[in-house]
Amino acid sequence: QKEVEQDPGPLSVPEGAIVSLNCTYSNSAFQYFMWYRQYSRKGPELLMYTYSSGNKEDGRFTAQVDKSSKYISLFIRDSQPSDSATYLCAMIDNSGGYQKVTFGIGTKLQVIP
Amino acid sequence: DVKVTQSSRYLVKRTGEKVFLECVQDMDHENMFWYRQDPGLGLRLIYFSYDVKMKEKGDIPEGYSVSREKKERFSLILESASTNQTSMYLCASSFERLAGVSNEQFFGPGTRLTVL
């Protein structure tokens, strides 16, 4: 079983829809949770960062963490064609004395105008 | 504005060739990383470095080596390229701190390597 599971999609939605992207994980040592966005032929860039269980909002984006269920989500409200990209979840384990980052395989999202 | 640059966007090499991929960051980051990204497999860590002249194996180091002679530069070396090393290679860097937003990794644009 992979430490981080993420559905690769592709996920296709109409413009204006609410998008839900999810990851599950098995390693209880993960303490920090991130979402990266990767446009085609570019490197990933950090979108959202959370530490504790609960919700964190940034504009149209909401990151949600449920540590008891080992489940994280990214919600995109009023999705736009410019949101079309691959979204990677990432989780950090610092228990070994250095940061070890594990990425999900990414979900490809297409927002249709 | 953090910048991570990679020496080539596209590279075509022949089986058995020695290949050098260069990465430079301009934010004085302690940590540097090399990943490869393949469809269905996602980002996989090859090697990382937490200091000059220091290197640690990641999850898939076989067939690769690295060099970090200067803080800003991290090189990935394919000693004898093989067709299964055809991939997108991404370099990243981050600050040393273990907590807080400085855990963010800043990625370069990637090098798409094809080995024939």
Side-chain angles (χ1 to χ4, degrees):
Chain A
Q1 183 191 5
K2 288 183 183 177
E3 280 191 297
V4 178
E5 299 277 0
Q6 183 176 13
D7 187 334
L11 181 62
S12 187
V13 301
E15 183 176 353
I18 296 174
V19 175
S20 172
L21 305 168
N22 312 293
C23 288
T24 59
Y25 63 95
S26 56
N27 185 353
S28 299
F30 288 140
Q31 300 167 331
Y32 300 90
F33 305 90
M34 300 173 164
W35 286 95
Y36 282 81
R37 178 174 61 196
Q38 185 176 20
Y39 290 114
S40 181
R41 288 185 288 276
K42 296 274 180 77
E45 54 182 358
L46 183 66
L47 189 61
M48 296 282 287
Y49 169 97
T50 57
Y51 170 65
S52 56
S53 282
N55 292 352
K56 180 177 181 180
E57 267 192 46
D58 184 0
R60 296 184 294 111
F61 298 88
T62 300
Q64 188 175 78
V65 174
D66 182 348
K67 287 187 176 181
S68 62
S69 301
K70 296 190 177 67
Y71 188 88
I72 71 169
S73 300
L74 177 71
F75 298 97
I76 307 174
R77 289 185 300 280
D78 187 25
S79 56
Q80 302 294 310
S82 59
D83 295 328
S84 298
T86 297
Y87 291 80
L88 299 93
C89 60
M91 310 192 182
I92 297 177
D93 171 7
N94 289 335
S95 61
Y98 57 87
Q99 75 174 248
K100 178 174 168 23
V101 183
T102 303
F103 288 88
I105 65 171
T107 300
K108 188 169 185 178
L109 171 68
Q110 186 177 18
V111 181
I112 312 293
Chain B
D1 200 23
V2 177
K3 200 156 194 179
V4 179
T5 56
Q6 294 184 229
S7 51
S8 306
R9 291 302 304 272
Y10 300 94
L11 210 52
V12 180
K13 295 291 181 181
R14 297 211 174 270
T15 302
E17 279 193 77
K18 191 168 185 175
V19 182
F20 292 87
L21 302 182
E22 301 283 335
C23 175
V24 177
Q25 50 93 4
D26 66 358
M27 278 300 292
D28 203 34
H29 285 169
E30 289 82 7
N31 307 329
M32 296 189 75
F33 308 84
W34 273 108
Y35 295 90
R36 62 179 284 176
Q37 187 175 33
D38 300 287
L41 297 175
L43 279 166
R44 292 182 291 168
L45 182 64
I46 304 171
Y47 266 97
F48 60 97
S49 169
Y50 287 104
D51 202 351
V52 175
K53 297 193 185 292
M54 178 272 189
K55 59 186 178 186
E56 291 285 344
K57 292 180 180 179
D59 300 318
I60 52 163
E62 297 78 19
Y64 303 94
S65 62
V66 290
S67 172
R68 192 160 180 207
E69 295 297 318
K70 292 184 178 182
K71 191 175 185 180
E72 67 271 18
R73 189 180 297 270
F74 193 35
S75 303
L76 181 69
I77 303 150
L78 286 67
E79 295 290 342
S80 177
S82 63
T83 55
N84 62 13
Q85 292 179 310
T86 291
S87 186
M88 170 69 85
Y89 289 87
L90 287 158
C91 175
S93 69
S94 71
F95 284 113
E96 181 184 11
R97 287 175 55 199
L98 296 181
V101 73
S102 58
N103 285 324
E104 176 183 1
Q105 291 193 15
F106 295 86
F107 285 85
T111 295
R112 183 162 293 283
L113 172 67
T114 301
V115 182
L116 302 176

